[in-house]
Amino acid sequence: MAIHCPVAPSLRIPLRALALVATLLAGGAQAADGFPQKPVTMVVPFSAGGPTDVVARSLGAAMSKHLGQSVVVENRTGAGGTVAAAHVARAQPDGYTVLIHHNGMATAPALYRKLSYDPLKDFEYIGQVADVPMTLLGKKDLPPSNAAELVSYVRKNQDKVNLANAGLGAVSQLCGLLFEQAAGVKLNVIPYQGTAPALTALLAGQVDVLCDQTTATLPHIAANKVKLYGVTTPSRIRALPNAPTLQEGGLVGFDMKVWHGVYAPKGTPAPVVAKLTEALQAALKDPAVSKRLDELGAEIVPVAKQTPEGLRSWLRQESDKWQPMLRKAGAVAD
Ligand code: MLT
């Protein structure tokens, strides 16, 4: 005989909702059970050997110690980092594909009319990694010897001075745009798949200027293979104590640093995200990582930022900061 167990109408929906939540939680727990059971792919949006790649490889190697599986770096270049971000937004949400990206996550929506993903909606946030200052460089035989001279030189040669960058959405592009705005000049922009090939072109004297991160530029500055016009942060940096800031060089209000975050596709189960965040935090405590990043002029962010909420709120803040300015500047692609 069937036993009828009456449930008050007002309880029916909440009970059903509770059952759904329980199912989802069980699924999530299962998804995290034993995770990871195979290598995790960390997608880098720019070329191998460049600044994002350098941070990714150092972080990935240390995360793999904690996860017990390798973290394999995959370089997917193109369209200022948006090709890689779109790829990860569409990947299986199982924790086995993650993205490391920088400020480009905040700037791309203002730069690409047909962006196929929303950085604020289509990802789970693992945490922030490190902040990196940038350096404005010229090829070795470029005539100007400081930032003020560079501004006059570009004014006299409007549209003729070549700036290499890594495409719309790259920090090298953002830095170049800030330079153009602060100096009231126009540069002839030459995009590359990352600043690794752009730096090679600068060293070979094929382009005139490049704004790139200390993680890539310090050895070339130390070897005196490039001209250093200044650092992009408002204060001088520990890695280059004698280098003036661009503000000191007369570029009023110039203030830019690069920040990195790690993302997973939307829908990655919360327990998997938690494991990835735990591995990221463990990696950033690893003395080999802090030594390597310190040598490269990068600064590991405080633990509160190495969290999903730390990354999500920072991304929102940076989106609100840069997108109106970029929309006004009108540097837009399809
Ligand atoms: C790179 O890794 O090549 C750079 O981060 C590109 C850029 O300038 O954003």
Side-chain angles (χ1 to χ4, degrees):
M1 189 181 77
I3 301 173
H4 182 63
C5 184
V7 175
S10 60
L11 284 180
R12 274 183 201 138
I13 291 172
L15 280 178
R16 231 179 269 145
L18 277 178
L20 180 66
V21 169
T23 310
L24 286 175
L25 285 176
Q30 250 167 33
D33 198 22
F35 173 86
Q37 294 181 349
K38 59 179 185 176
V40 171
T41 299
M42 183 178 282
V43 179
V44 171
F46 301 102
S47 27
T52 316
D53 184 73
V54 165
V55 172
R57 283 175 200 272
S58 179
L59 178 72
M63 279 177 77
S64 68
K65 282 195 233 163
H66 187 80
L67 291 169
Q69 285 284 349
S70 18
V71 174
V72 180
V73 168
E74 180 185 307
N75 301 85
R76 269 189 186 253
T77 61
T82 59
V83 168
H87 169 76
V88 175
R90 285 192 302 264
Q92 245 341 78
D94 55 9
Y96 290 102
T97 309
V98 298
L99 171 74
I100 182 164
H101 205 340
H102 57 31
N103 315 42
M105 283 295 264
T107 58
L111 298 169
Y112 287 85
R113 270 190 209 97
K114 293 182 191 149
L115 202 64
S116 66
Y117 59 92
D118 182 339
L120 290 166
K121 290 193 182 139
D122 295 338
F123 295 90
E124 303 295 342
Y125 305 89
I126 309 296
Q128 279 190 65
V129 183
D131 292 340
V132 187
M134 299 188 85
T135 49
L136 182 62
L137 307 177
K139 65 180 178 186
K140 183 89 171 87
D141 60 357
L142 199 70
S145 50
N146 56 44
E149 284 180 24
L150 178 67
V151 171
S152 329
Y153 179 79
V154 182
R155 279 197 189 129
K156 279 193 212 113
N157 296 282
Q158 287 280 357
D159 283 322
K160 290 198 194 90
V161 178
N162 295 324
L163 167 94
N165 72 18
L168 270 185
V171 284
S172 44
Q173 179 258 332
L174 184 58
C175 180
L177 189 68
L178 292 182
F179 175 80
E180 286 185 327
Q181 290 192 340
V185 294
K186 273 276 167 231
L187 294 152
N188 180 36
V189 173
I190 305 183
Y192 289 79
Q193 296 291 308
T195 53
L199 189 54
T200 305
L202 186 83
L203 292 167
Q206 292 158 357
V207 293
D208 300 313
V209 284
L210 166 68
C211 188
D212 199 6
Q213 299 161 62
T214 55
T215 31
T217 62
L218 287 182
H220 304 291
I221 294 168
N224 208 21
K225 288 190 180 148
V226 287
K227 274 200 175 157
L228 171 61
Y229 293 120
V231 295
T232 60
T233 44
S235 310
R236 291 190 178 203
I237 59 171
R238 200 153 42 90
L240 292 167
N242 298 323
T245 64
L246 290 174
Q247 287 198 18
E248 284 174 61
L251 292 155
V252 180
F254 209 109
D255 178 3
M256 190 186 164
K257 70 169 182 192
V258 182
W259 53 271
H260 300 85
V262 178
Y263 306 80
K266 186 81 189 169
T268 304
V272 171
V273 170
K275 281 207 169 181
L276 289 165
T277 298
E278 205 180 280
L280 177 127
Q281 294 184 351
L284 294 175
K285 276 197 203 88
D286 187 322
V289 176
S290 33
K291 181 171 176 287
R292 176 87 178 119
L293 292 183
D294 189 55
E295 281 163 5
L296 298 170
E299 202 177 309
I300 291 174
V301 296
V303 178
K305 287 187 156 200
Q306 300 166 17
T307 58
E309 192 42 39
L311 176 56
R312 193 193 341 259
S313 59
W314 181 249
L315 175 65
R316 186 171 291 282
Q317 220 174 297
E318 284 283 284
S319 304
D320 292 347
K321 173 176 170 182
W322 294 110
Q323 289 182 15
M325 183 282 261
L326 291 167
R327 289 204 169 94
K328 210 162 144 207
V332 178
D334 284 334

